Amino acid sequence: MDETPEPSGGKPEDGPIFVVQKHDARNLHYDFRLEIHGVLKSWAVPKGPSLDSSVKRLAIPTEDHPMDYARFEGTIPEGNYGAGPVIVWDTGKVENLKEGKNLQQSYDDGHITVRLHGKKLNGGFSLVRTSRDGNWLLMKIDDEHADARRNPLSTEPESVISGKTIEEMEEEMGG
Ligand code: MN
């Protein structure tokens, strides 16, 4: 397969996407997904992303999802894996900040550095695999968008697609 390199500093409108889905399954968590080589590489982040650059958030790798899942919201029916409501909490374009490596190579190395262009999440973030257990850590890079006092998880809980909260999504779907 022909591999087009993803130059760092490319125009974000041409670049890959990210999505953060808030998912109230058995445990509430945020699914952080990054478009890499035509699929959504995925991590479950129990506490969600933080804008505080001193905070490291556990990011548990989960299975790849197809690109069209990036706009999914609704309720996964009872009896299915991950049963419960899902909203698209944030989405936007991604810029690879790693010089000389595309996102696939960074993923394989276990160290991804990106700039997010979301409605709620902006600026640099890194995802680093910890050698110990294969889990990753999601961290805000200390830049002009880092802000330890802001917490958009609580101040902007609603979907960027429908405007619904996860509670409204659950009620609407007869939960
Ligand atoms: Mn999930």
Side-chain angles (χ1 to χ4, degrees), residues 1-155:
M1 189 189 217
D2 232 28
E3 191 167 343
T4 309
E6 299 153 26
S8 56
K11 277 186 289 181
E13 57 266 32
D14 299 330
I17 64 153
F18 81 97
V19 61
V20 178
Q21 282 155 317
K22 185 177 183 180
H23 182 192
D24 192 3
R26 198 172 306 149
N27 297 297
L28 181 72
H29 60 276
Y30 293 79
D31 289 297
F32 186 93
R33 310 189 198 276
L34 204 53
E35 177 184 358
I36 300 180
H37 213 131
V39 298
L40 294 170
K41 292 290 177 192
S42 300
W43 295 261
V45 183
K47 292 184 174 174
S50 173
L51 301 187
D52 182 343
S53 62
S54 71
V55 168
K56 296 174 166 68
R57 288 281 157 85
L58 175 65
I60 303 156
T62 59
E63 76 230 47
D64 298 351
H65 278 59
M67 284 307 300
D68 61 8
Y69 198 75
R71 295 188 71 78
F72 172 78
E73 50 179 40
T75 292
I76 301 171
E78 287 298 328
N80 291 273
Y81 182 76
V86 176
I87 60 167
V88 176
W89 182 76
D90 199 15
T91 189
K93 291 287 187 179
V94 171
E95 275 177 85
N96 178 23
L97 295 182
K98 260 287 175 60
E99 292 285 336
K101 279 185 180 165
N102 65 33
L103 285 174
Q104 181 70 57
Q105 290 165 329
S106 295
Y107 180 86
D108 294 341
D109 286 350
H111 195 152
I112 294 169
T113 309
V114 286
R115 181 180 290 130
L116 303 182
H117 297 267
K119 292 199 167 72
K120 299 169 187 173
L121 298 181
N122 281 282
F125 282 81
S126 59
L127 270 160
V128 178
R129 188 167 53 222
T130 65
S131 50
R132 213 169 46 257
D133 53 9
N135 282 327
W136 295 57
L137 296 170
L138 175 64
M139 289 165 279
K140 180 76 196 75
I141 291 170
D142 192 9
D143 60 17
E144 73 275 21
H145 294 287
D147 189 344
R149 293 160 306 178
R150 278 188 58 220
N151 180 11
L153 299 177
S154 58
T155 58

